[in-house]
Amino acid sequence: MKKVLAFGEILLRLSADGDTIIGSRSFSACYGGTESNVLAFLTALGHSTKYLSALPENALGKAALLHLERLGVDTSDVLVGGDTMGMYFAENGTASRGANVVYARRHSAFTHLDENSFDFDKVFDGVDLFHISGISFALSPSSCALSYRLIREARERGVAVSFDFNYRPALWTTEEALPKLGKAAALADILLASHRDLETFMQTDEEKAFEDYPLCTHLVLRDRTVLAPDRHSVRVTVMRNDGARCEILPFTFPVTEKIGGGDAFNGGMLHGLLEGTNLADATYFAVAAFAMKHTVPGDVLAVPEQKIRDFMSRTEGLLP
């Protein structure tokens, strides 16, 4: 069992019960957020996990803490204060209109975190992997500075760093994101990206990636194609800096839930790398988690490894 630390903002998700956010008169609530989703899955897979974040000192903050604690995530370093929680509103979309997300998180408790918020020796004690996404660099100048500081603190302690680009155009422009995401990527051991991230933010290609990013040990490229509202496909390429490579050609899967698939994929991939699984098995396991999550409501996939293995055995194309 490995210990994984992640930094990010947990959000209240409000899903439109009608076709659109504008037209809906009721919303279904749950909690989620990319880093907390990854930790929840890793916890279910048997790892020890800890979350760095901030929540408001009110009923919403307490409910989010209970959500994490029920999933087995250590919340002892989640700071509580203020009165505003980050939220997002989601609609599924239709055949002619894609899914839509509206954020309400500009002045949340998380955006006020800074480099003085945590005792770094304490939070990194015993940690094997530190996970972070590009979203935390977009939310406020202070959370951006803290994100870089956490990566540097991890590296100084010999803790591996996984970085998920997770670019969200609703939060910032490509021009704003480019220097920040590129700088973060240069400090990471494991890069979770797409070919767009590789070209736009890393400004490299598969052949030169390890030369241009010498600290990187694993480059994980995942590209989704929307074939229909209820049917997507994914292509995955995973490369290791010793020349090992695994590629999964486009795999098609059904979709009833559009949010959280990438987090399940990342959790499954990190699980395989932490366990020292061979590259092919780790990759197929991550794709299976990705596909399975698209059939599970809410943000989180929190199932044990055997559930994913059973899903793989029943699904053509998901065994190495």
Side-chain angles (χ1 to χ4, degrees):
M1 183 172 65
K2 302 295 185 180
K3 184 173 182 179
V4 182
L5 173 72
F7 173 67
E9 182 176 31
I10 188 168
L11 302 165
L12 174 62
R13 169 182 164 185
L14 296 164
S15 299
D17 291 333
D19 285 339
T20 65
I21 293 171
I22 291 175
S24 187
R25 294 295 175 266
S26 62
F27 294 81
S28 300
C30 68
Y31 292 93
T34 181
E35 297 86 359
S36 62
N37 294 343
V38 170
L39 287 187
F41 189 26
L42 285 171
T43 304
L45 293 172
H47 299 281
S48 170
T49 62
K50 178 185 280 193
Y51 195 40
L52 291 185
S53 193
L55 286 166
E57 194 170 8
N58 57 30
L60 291 176
K62 290 177 183 177
L65 277 176
L66 287 173
H67 162 78
L68 291 166
E69 290 165 2
R70 281 194 294 267
L71 292 167
V73 177
D74 181 349
T75 62
S76 60
D77 284 303
V78 175
L79 302 183
V80 176
D83 58 7
T84 304
M85 181 165 187
M87 299 185 292
Y88 74 102
F89 296 79
E91 63 184 50
N92 270 331
T94 63
S96 59
R97 172 175 48 79
N100 185 35
V101 167
V102 175
Y103 290 109
R105 61 198 300 183
R106 184 168 295 176
H107 301 292
S108 68
F110 182 87
T111 63
H112 296 290
L113 292 174
D114 61 29
E115 293 181 68
N116 298 311
S117 296
F118 299 105
D119 178 338
F120 299 115
D121 287 331
K122 177 176 178 289
V123 298
F124 280 105
D125 183 37
V127 170
D128 298 291
L129 176 72
F130 173 62
H131 179 68
I132 191 169
S133 86
I135 289 175
S136 295
F137 295 83
L139 297 180
S140 72
S142 63
S143 71
C144 180
L146 176 55
S147 297
Y148 286 126
R149 178 68 181 276
L150 286 164
I151 292 176
R152 292 196 302 271
E153 294 287 342
R155 295 213 66 88
E156 288 174 7
R157 290 165 170 80
V159 175
V161 175
S162 64
F163 176 63
D164 173 17
F165 281 82
N166 218 341
Y167 172 69
R168 292 288 184 264
L171 296 175
W172 53 352
T173 66
T174 300
E175 292 71 26
E176 290 171 324
L178 176 57
K180 293 182 171 61
L181 298 187
K183 179 181 175 182
L187 297 171
D189 301 273
I190 302 167
L191 290 173
L192 303 159
S194 66
H195 276 89
R196 181 185 187 277
D197 298 325
L198 186 71
E199 297 163 6
T200 302
F201 300 119
M202 295 175 65
Q203 298 190 321
T204 189
D205 57 31
E206 290 185 20
E207 291 185 3
K208 297 188 298 181
F210 291 114
E211 178 183 340
D212 292 341
Y213 291 81
L215 295 180
C216 179
T217 61
H218 293 82
L219 176 61
V220 181
L221 300 171
R222 172 175 49 85
D223 297 282
R224 176 203 300 265
T225 300
V226 177
L227 304 173
D230 59 354
R231 190 165 57 92
H232 295 184
S233 73
V234 65
R235 179 172 184 166
V236 174
T237 302
V238 180
M239 297 180 290
R240 199 166 58 207
N241 62 352
D242 63 0
R245 177 187 178 100
C246 178
E247 185 167 359
I248 297 181
L249 297 178
F251 171 78
T252 301
F253 55 93
V255 175
T256 56
E257 167 62 75
K258 296 179 179 177
I259 295 175
D263 305 328
F265 174 89
N266 290 343
M269 193 75 230
L270 293 175
H271 171 63
L273 298 182
L274 287 166
E275 293 291 291
T277 308
N278 74 75
L279 206 60
D281 189 66
T283 305
Y284 277 86
F285 183 85
V287 171
F290 179 75
M292 185 176 182
K293 174 63 190 73
H294 285 85
T295 68
V296 176
D299 262 51
V300 179
L301 180 69
V303 298
E305 180 170 344
Q306 191 56 49
K307 289 284 188 182
I308 306 297
R309 298 288 179 194
D310 291 343
F311 180 77
M312 293 172 72
S313 68
R314 296 193 304 269
T315 307
E316 184 178 353
L318 277 184
L319 290 175

